[in-house]
Amino acid sequence: MSDFTVQNDYVVEFNYTLKDDDGEVIDSSEGHGPLPYIHGKANIVAGLEKELTGKKVGDKLNVVVSPEEGYGKRQADLVQSVPLSAFDEANEVKVGAQFHVQTEAGHPLLVTVIEVNENDVVLDGNHPLADVSLHFDVEIVNIRKATEQELSHGHIHAPGESCGD
Ligand code: ZN
């Protein structure tokens, strides 16, 4: 078992259950296996990453992450209506569909279609978990040093697997 503590540039694997304020399960590692990430690279929400710092394999923790340190507060200006004619395949535009757009600053933004009207479509660029307090039950199951390649790519590689990046 690893004696490392959670620190920057280490790969941490953890099991988790994520619930909202009402105790409803939003997401869980059950069935997927532990989630690996590189600590210090903002691969996971800031509030959880902060609480994991210094922990060891076998540690279990319960972390409540505010929206500010989670997926953000809802921003009214991220809800925008665009003309239906802006879509190449208007018949593919359905409520609940998600796709990436470029913001005016040139950043990719995931938007969700929340309304389809006769002439326009309303898009919501807020994260589906914006405004949600995140209740994590976490158990750390492994900690290892990230490889040079993982650090340069900013993401983890499965054992023995190289990636095309
Ligand atoms: Zn890679």
Side-chain angles (χ1 to χ4, degrees), residues 25 28 77:
V25 175
S28 162
D77 61 358

Side-chain angles (χ1 to χ4, degrees), residues 18-130:
L18 170 60
K19 295 177 185 163
D20 65 14
D21 277 330
D22 299 324
E24 293 286 331
V25 175
I26 299 168
D27 193 14
S28 162
S29 57
E30 204 170 316
H32 307 269
L35 178 75
Y37 77 98
I38 303 177
H39 196 76
K41 297 282 187 196
N43 289 167
I44 61 172
V45 293
L48 180 60
E49 187 166 55
K50 192 174 71 180
E51 292 299 321
L52 287 169
T53 304
K55 298 294 190 292
K56 304 186 302 292
V57 170
D59 282 355
K60 293 180 183 178
L61 52 160
N62 193 280
V63 180
V64 182
V65 176
S66 67
E68 288 84 354
E69 290 191 305
Y71 293 102
K73 303 286 284 178
R74 280 194 69 81
Q75 294 173 254
D77 61 358
L78 289 180
V79 177
Q80 289 192 345
S81 117
V82 296
L84 192 57
S85 58
F87 295 87
D88 294 336
E89 298 170 60
N91 53 348
E92 295 299 314
V93 182
K94 294 191 177 73
V95 170
Q98 292 188 312
F99 47 91
H100 289 274
V101 297
Q102 294 258 314
T103 64
E104 280 167 27
H107 301 297
L109 179 70
L110 180 69
V111 298
T112 305
V113 176
I114 58 170
E115 240 181 87
V116 179
N117 302 313
E118 199 176 334
N119 296 311
D120 66 5
V121 175
V122 183
L123 302 176
D124 187 354
N126 288 289
H127 191 282
L129 294 178

Side-chain angles (χ1 to χ4, degrees), residues 149-150 152-157 161-165:
Q149 197 187 38
E150 286 173 328
S152 71
H153 289 188
H155 57 232
I156 67 118
H157 294 154
E161 214 176 85
S162 62
C163 90
D165 294 3

